[in-house]
Amino acid sequence: MNTPDTTAQVPSRWSRAGRWARLVLRSLWSKGEGRFALSVMVLWVLVSLLSLVWTPQPLWSTDGYHVWQTPSRAHLLGTDGTGADVLSWLLAGSATNLAICLLTVAFALALGTLLVAATVSRSSAVASSSIVLVDALISIPTVLIALILAVPMGASVAVIVLACGLGYGLNLARVVRPQALLAASADYTQAALASGASGWRLLTSHILPNIAAPMAVQLSLSAGTSVLAESGLTYLGVGVPSGLPSWGHSLTTSIKLVNVYPLTVVWPGLVVTLVVVALNLLGDALRDAIDPASNSALRTVAV
């Protein structure tokens, strides 16, 4: 008599991860703030992709006879001081800001995770040194870091990513450090350690899952702050170079005449505000969506 093969019925790790992601997205979409944030994020990505192949007007098409023009059929959001189409530059700038946001968050996540791993290290010297390092470096302003980096590198996207990623990574490690230490000293972590689990296994299976919620919130705040930082650093001349479209560049080119032509500042300002609000709301909604205590559906999934 043949026995049934029960191993084939066990879902793979990838299928469990896919189910976990679907449950998280469903939880996000079920809430108003999550639905708003996801809609803005999807629209941002689609607009960024569209701007790579099409804009209403060529970016470098200028008309000196129609500068600071009010919205019209030819220029839906008007023109700037060079006669360039404001809408086209905003659309093209969305791709630059999206790239800066993603790169900054990735750098902050990698640095923050590395510092968290050092904080909960079994070596007391490494743990204490990492705590002192974080507390010492976190006091350095991001603007100062950007100005220092701009000396050898000049105005570039890399300056924004490195300066913001460094500051946000340190802040991430500082915020989640208490919960990471609690997870590292928990009974189930100590039991895994006693059974011979490696340090990497403890970090990925026991510590990081327990601090995922505050990390998600902090990273979403960092993403929103990176959008604001790009505008500020570009205005100071150490951010996005003049030949590259960005929302900060659109603000910088029109801020001097805001009292005379306010609409050219209003449009990029509204876009920046909308994206930053959406990113902040996404963090709050994501915190509840990935926490099994708030999202009971996740308790049935073990990734």
Side-chain angles (χ1 to χ4, degrees):
M1 182 176 179
N2 294 330
T3 58
D5 185 6
T6 57
T7 59
Q9 300 174 2
V10 178
S12 65
R13 185 178 181 85
W14 287 108
S15 65
R16 295 197 303 270
R19 184 165 181 264
W20 181 90
R22 288 193 297 272
L23 291 174
V24 169
L25 287 175
R26 185 181 304 170
S27 177
L28 285 174
W29 192 256
S30 66
K31 299 181 180 180
E33 61 271 21
R35 194 156 46 241
F36 170 78
L38 286 177
S39 300
V40 173
M41 294 300 101
V42 171
L43 181 61
W44 188 10
V45 172
L46 293 178
V47 169
S48 299
L49 294 176
L50 176 64
S51 68
L52 297 178
V53 296
W54 176 85
T55 53
Q57 300 288 341
L59 289 182
W60 306 110
S61 175
T62 59
D63 186 356
Y65 295 101
H66 297 89
V67 298
W68 306 114
Q69 192 177 26
T70 57
S72 62
R73 261 178 122 177
H75 306 282
L76 295 180
L77 298 184
T79 61
D80 61 13
T82 64
D85 185 58
V86 172
L87 178 59
S88 297
W89 275 82
L90 286 180
L91 293 179
S94 62
T96 303
N97 281 85
L98 180 61
I100 291 173
C101 182
L102 293 177
L103 291 173
T104 301
V105 169
F107 183 32
L109 176 60
L111 178 61
T113 303
L114 180 64
L115 292 173
V116 167
T119 300
V120 299
S121 172
R122 282 175 283 180
S123 172
S124 59
V126 173
S128 59
S129 299
S130 64
I131 292 175
V132 172
L133 180 66
V134 170
D135 290 340
L137 295 180
I138 202 172
S139 60
I140 303 177
T142 301
V143 175
L144 179 58
I145 298 175
L147 292 174
I148 294 174
L149 291 174
V151 173
M153 301 176 63
S156 65
V157 171
V159 169
I160 303 175
V161 173
L162 292 176
C164 294
L166 178 60
Y168 303 158
L170 292 170
N171 194 48
L172 175 65
R174 182 66 180 83
V175 169
V176 304
R177 183 202 303 165
Q179 289 182 262
L181 292 174
L182 286 175
S185 60
D187 293 338
Y188 53 84
T189 306
Q190 295 301 315
L193 179 61
S195 65
S198 64
W200 174 254
R201 178 71 177 175
L202 293 176
L203 179 67
T204 57
S205 299
H206 299 287
I207 297 176
L208 290 182
N210 282 279
I211 62 175
M215 287 183 72
V217 175
Q218 195 62 35
L219 287 173
S220 70
L221 293 176
S222 299
T225 308
S226 70
V227 177
L228 296 175
E230 182 274 319
S231 300
L233 294 176
T234 300
Y235 179 76
L236 292 176
V238 296
V240 175
S242 58
L244 189 64
S246 72
W247 297 335
H249 180 272
S250 297
L251 285 169
T252 301
T253 56
S254 54
I255 194 66
K256 296 179 181 179
L257 296 176
V258 61
N259 293 329
V260 183
Y261 306 103
L263 282 181
T264 54
V265 180
V266 167
W267 300 126
L270 285 176
V271 171
V272 170
T273 302
L274 179 66
V275 169
V276 171
V277 169
L279 286 169
N280 292 342
L281 292 177
L282 179 64
D284 291 335
L286 192 60
R287 176 190 56 195
D288 296 332
I290 65 178
D291 188 359
S294 303
N295 188 0
S296 58
L298 293 181
R299 300 171 193 171
T300 60
V301 183
V303 180

